[in-house]
Structures are given as structure tokens and as C-alpha cells.
Amino acid sequence: MRADGHAPGRPAPDGEDAGELLRRCARDMMDVAEGIRAVSERTGAALFAPPLTASARRRPRTGLAARWALLRALTSKEGLGGQAITVPKGMGQVLGTAGGVLGRESLAALAAVTSLRLRIAAVLAGHPEFARDPGMRRLREAVTADRDLDAVRALRALFRDQGAQRALSGLAPLMTELLAVRALLDEDPKSEETGWARAAGREPAAGPLPAISVPHLADPDRERGAAEAVDLTDQEKQFIAPEGSFLGFLRNIEVLSTDGRILVQNVRGPDGVVRYVVQAPGMTPGRPRHHSPHDVVGAWRNLFTTGSPYTRSLRLALADYGIPRGADLALIGHGEGGTALLNLARDEEFCRTYRVTHVVAVGSPVDDDKPADPRTWVAAITNQHDIVPVLDGRGAGSLFDPHPHRYQVDYTGPTHEFPLCHMLREYIEHLRTVIPEAREDVDAALTPYRGPIVRTQAYQLKDRANPPEGYPFLTLPTTSRPTTAGPVDVPVRFYDSAAAHLCFPVSADAVRGMLPGATWPTPSRLGRRALAVLSLYEHRCSTIGPFTEIALTVPVDDLWRPRPYDVAADLLRRVDLRRTGRYVLSLAVTSDEARVVAREIWGQPAMRTTAEADLTGRRIDVRSGDLGLTVEGRLGLGIRCPETDWILYGRRAESTVRTLVRAHGRPRLHRGTGVRLRLDTAAAEPLAGQLRRLGIDRARPLFVLSCPQFLLHRSAGAVLPR
């Protein structure tokens, strides 16, 4: 590849975007990898060819030297590296395995991994928002660096976190590439062969997940599922289609939205026979609602096992509805709903109970499995820009058709942005205007279900094993407080956050000059010095949205009876009984809602800024161009600390606002020698100016208190008469 990034012999056409250029480079790199692999195959075959073996016996001096040269070419770091791929048995496999144990990666596999990483970069070039999620970033780095334990931990964390919607959505378009990278870096020959098939665009013999056992990570047996009959609202009843049709069923699903409900209907067909239609929506965006399996975590479980909570809840709903045994049944779903219905169609016991005549999945990952009843007609309709169907293992640029015996429409729609291109209303509009022939074909197939609706019943699906979010720490009573940005529930709850508190010894006189009033409040002293705390937060999920927070605070004594060293004694009291706290000098946040809440509810001098934070590992990396602030470095070994609840003080007009903050996590205390704070010379007030006046604009902290993942809630500020 040339230095300008263009593949040799293939100049980039005018107007080509970065993603397409990266994909072309990835294809060229894959051609190189296939060529290296072919050379490795020929070299391995020559090494153990019978003529060369016979020659080595007749002329040991020259024959053994030739075999030694071939062996070095196959296994040395300077040669092809890794194992002799084409020698499945005997000494060749032993030598190849030994090379893998010694860390001799196959040159062909490394070239293929480079191609896959280029494909990952191409996806991220079109969707840069996917790269910013810390959970996904941790998994991607662990997989591409061949760190098995870290990869398993990261994936388990995503499945356990019911709020990991954004991370798992972002992982979807990269799943094929990540698993292929993992398989190519694996020492297992079966995994490596599967990785080669995925990387080269061939249909693999194994399933979509050869390297990581996601069914075990998902642990679906813990959720049993539940279904409860519920009534539609009067407004919803007005939009339910009175007669059966493909678009009518899809509009019914759109009416249900994604709040955990499904719809079961009786339809009297043209022949007078009553048949049954199940309509299932896709996954719930954002945080789970009603504790239902309609979320991204449920969608992943749904994909990798037929016994998912969604599927089991569907069976309970149909049993309650009272469909007679042997009745004709059509299953129509969108997204996760389509996958769950396909799981039902693959269940032999279910198909012995009912005759599943049709399954129609719109925008769903449908993998390679066939229905239990070979007479079942299956249709799959997907927009090529929709990333959700990629979950079935078909990455961008796949060269094989996994569903040759299905009615399948994979079209290019005018909507490119995700998740808009996955919305059901977009698919309905495209079936009307972009692919009307697909609508006509499906309607023709559903002719037995074209008739008046006899009965309609909605069911609320539930996930019995899932407790409320943040249970038990964040399950507490809330009240609504008005703000200029709209009503806000308090306490404000943070479901997934990371933090690093950098503590600097500073001049007590400098701190006193920044506090309000002549004698109030008094900075807490440790000897002759005071303490300044620069708190860095990465709030990934909260009731006021995700945002990054940078706060400069100083510990202060009791507002009415300040005593020396009272801050140390106060740590032994319950947080709600403490008299000391931290006064907020400056606060910078990256969202307007967080700025309004900080100013109007907590009385803190918040300002809106831009910032990026990565606090999930041992390395701290926080940057803000608006503030001219950079904090970076690596934390050393730390010691566990107790939970760090605290009091924050702010000002509103002539009053003081006291805010109670409770946290639940595993904080650790580190020395601050590996972390450095820097300010640009053009950095603006007030935060940058205060850091300069305190003398910590280019300093290293005395110690750092870090917590890469914790829960948090902040009460409404209590106004004090001072």
C-alpha cells in the first residue's frame, strides 16, 4: 500500500469517502493474506513431500539442510511464522503448535487481521459514535489485542448491564470482524479456519460465534419470562388495521411501539377459515421499560439461543390466548421480534402444536437455521444500511448468500443513519415507495390471512428475573423539580459512571481568596496546606442523559463552628450527618440539561463545554479543547477504599445549597506520580484561571482516587440560611 493510503494500481476515484477507501485497502490486504497463505501451504506441502523425505534419507547432508531451511521459513519470525497450516497430522502439526506456543504468529493470519482492522476502521469512519462507548471500546481493544480474559470480561459486562444498549448497538456492525480477528489469533485450528472463512467472505462451517461462547455469557436460563394480557388504549384501537394485510400487520406493530407488548389476532380468511397472526415489535431503545425482554441485551440472547426470555414469553402469551392445537399461524416481526418468532418456528415442539405457515421478519438478523416444519414460508426484508441484521454474522462485503431457499429482499434504502434506518416506519414507507414489488409478493404469500379481523389481544411481556434498574441502591423515591430545561426527577440517578479525583496540596490563602464572603466558608487544612480536588467524571448513563463532568472543589469546614482537622473526624460520621463538605469553585459539563440542573437545583457555577473522557481502565485520558485542559497518565497499583459519599456546597443568590451525594462502587487510592495535568496558554476562565492561581496548572496530584464503574445519586440541593 502506498504512503498516500491508496491501494497500488487502484487510484481512489473522486468523491470517495474514507470508509470506502478503507474497505478497498482491506480487500487488497486480504488478497495479500490469501497469497501468503497459499505460499505457506505450498511450503508446508514441500517440507513433508515424500520425494524430499526420501532425498533426506539418501543424502542427509543436503536433504536435511533443505528441510531445515523450509522449516525455518515456515516457523521463524522472519519467515511465514506460526504453524504449518496445511499439515493436519503428524510432526508438522506438532511443530506448528510449538510455533504458536512460542508466540510465532502466522504472517498470513496477521495480514488477514490487518485487513479486518481496516474493515473495522471503515465502519467506525461512517459511525464514529460507536467508538466512543467505553464498554465497546474495551471489548474491541481486548479482542484485537488477543487478550482472551479481558475480552470475556468485557463481553460479560455488556450482557450483565441492562443499560448497555448503545454499546451493544455499536458492536453489531463490527461483530463479524471482531469474531474473525479473535478466531485468526486463536491457537485452535478450527477457530482459525472459521476466521479465514469470515475474513475472506466465504461461508464458514461453524456458527457465527466460534471463538466466544456467547450463550454461556448470556445465561438465558436465569430469565423465565412472563406474559400478561393488557388492553389497548382507545387511541391505539383507532389505528389497528380492521383487515389483514402485510402493511396492516406492520402498522399494528408500529402502534404497539417498543414498550414490551405484542399483538395476537384472529383473521377470517377468504375461505372462511379462522387463522391466527402474531405480531412482535423490535427492541426497546435506551433503557429497558417494564423490565421486558425487548432490549438489546435480550436481542443478543434471542439471537444465540432459542430459549430466550422473549421467546418463552411469546409461548406463554399464545397459551393464554387459547389458540387451538393444529391451527394455522403466521408470525410477523420487526427487528428482535422477527428473530424471536424465527426461534419459535425452529422449535419442533411448537411446530407440532401449531402449523406455522409463514414467518416474515423485517430488519431482523435471521442467521442460517431452518424452520422445524419444511413447509413454513420464510421472508426476510432488510435495508443494507441497517446494522441490526449484521448480528447474524453477515458483515459488510460478505460474498456468500446464507439463505438461498428463502424469500429475501436486501435493498438500498434512502435512509442511511442508524437507528433511523432501522425504524419500522421507514421500512413501511420503503415497502410503499422503494420496493413495492416486495410488498406485493409478501401479500400474495399471505393471501390466507387477507380478511376481516375477528379478535385482537395485546400482551405485555416481562422479564421476571430482572430487578429494577440499579436495585437496590438506586431504587428510591423521587420527586419532580421544575427547571428551565423542563421537569427533572430528583435525586438524579447515575446508572453507569466512572470517576477519577485528583487531589493537590495548595495554599490555604489562595483557596480562601476564591471562596465567597469575608469569613465564610473556611478551607479545611491538613497542616499548613489546603486541598484542591479536580474531579473527572464519565457519566455513561443517567436520568439527565450521558455527559462528561469536570469539577474543581475544595474541602471546607463546618459553616457555623469550624474546627481544625474537623474534616478528618467528619469522615467517621454518616454522610447525612457531616458538617464539612466540598465547595464547588468551577464546574464544566458537556450537556445543556446537566448545566441547567447543576445551576438551578444544586447551585453550582456550571458552564457548557466540550470534553472527551476515558476513565474505564488504569489509564486516565481527559481532554477539553474549550478549557484547554488535558489530564493524562497511567495509574499504578492502588489500595481499596471505603465507599466515598460526600457533601457538595454551592451558592444560589445569598444562600448556600447543600447537596448529598451517595456512591456505590469499588474505589481505589493511587499515588499521583503517573498522572499529569496541563493547561494551554490560551485556556479561558474561570476553571483554567483558578487552576493557575492555585498553582496546579502543570502539577502532578499527590494522590488519585479512581473508580472505573460505579452507581451514584445526587439529592436535590437543600438551601441553608447563610
Side-chain angles (χ1 to χ4, degrees), residues 454-707:
V454 179
R455 178 190 171 196
T456 297
Q457 180 63 59
Y459 284 89
Q460 179 73 60
L461 305 188
K462 297 184 178 181
D463 208 349
R464 283 181 179 171
N466 281 345
E469 290 179 76
Y471 176 84
F473 181 72
L474 294 181
T475 50
L476 65 166
T478 62
T479 58
S480 181
R481 294 284 294 269
T483 69
T484 55
V488 173
D489 289 339
V490 291
V492 177
R493 296 166 314 282
F494 299 81
Y495 294 93
D496 183 11
S497 296
H501 304 279
L502 283 61
C503 301
F504 301 86
V506 295
S507 167
D509 293 336
V511 172
R512 186 178 292 107
M514 299 179 187
L515 295 175
T519 59
W520 149 190
T522 305
S524 300
R525 292 194 179 199
L526 296 174
R528 297 183 178 180
R529 307 278 280 176
L531 198 68
V533 182
L534 184 66
S535 298
L536 312 171
Y537 295 96
E538 184 182 7
H539 298 303
R540 297 180 284 265
C541 182
S542 77
T543 53
I544 56 175
F547 65 97
T548 298
E549 177 182 355
I550 302 173
L552 178 62
T553 62
V554 292
V556 294
D557 291 332
D558 185 352
L559 306 184
W560 278 270
R561 295 186 300 274
R563 300 183 185 91
Y565 302 102
D566 196 31
V567 63
D570 224 18
L571 293 176
L572 302 177
R573 300 187 181 103
R574 279 177 14 203
V575 63
D576 54 330
L577 298 179
R578 291 178 191 168
R579 300 177 176 88
T580 63
R582 286 158 46 195
Y583 186 85
V584 181
L585 295 176
S586 291
L587 177 65
V589 294
T590 57
S591 77
D592 281 327
E593 187 172 8
R595 181 187 62 82
V596 170
V597 170
R599 281 184 171 273
E600 300 181 14
I601 294 182
W602 300 323
Q604 298 170 2
M607 59 180 175
R608 172 73 186 275
T609 188
T610 59
E612 292 186 359
D614 181 4
L615 304 171
T616 56
R618 297 277 291 274
R619 182 166 183 81
I620 294 176
D621 189 0
V622 178
R623 301 172 189 276
S624 173
D626 292 347
L627 300 175
L629 174 70
T630 300
V631 181
E632 59 184 352
R634 184 172 181 81
L635 297 173
L637 296 177
I639 59 173
R640 282 288 306 276
C641 297
E643 301 289 355
T644 53
D645 299 334
W646 60 91
I647 299 293
L648 292 179
Y649 288 113
R651 291 287 286 177
R652 186 186 304 151
E654 299 300 320
S655 302
T656 301
V657 181
R658 181 179 185 267
T659 303
L660 176 64
V661 181
R662 290 186 179 272
H664 176 62
R666 294 184 176 182
R668 300 186 73 88
L669 188 65
H670 309 262
R671 294 180 60 190
T673 54
V675 180
R676 185 65 178 265
L677 182 150
R678 294 196 306 273
L679 279 177
D680 293 343
T681 55
E685 295 279 354
L687 178 61
Q690 291 172 341
L691 291 174
R692 287 196 184 90
R693 290 196 293 276
L694 292 173
I696 57 176
D697 52 328
R698 291 185 177 273
R700 296 183 185 273
L702 179 64
F703 58 87
V704 177
L705 187 66
S706 72
C707 194

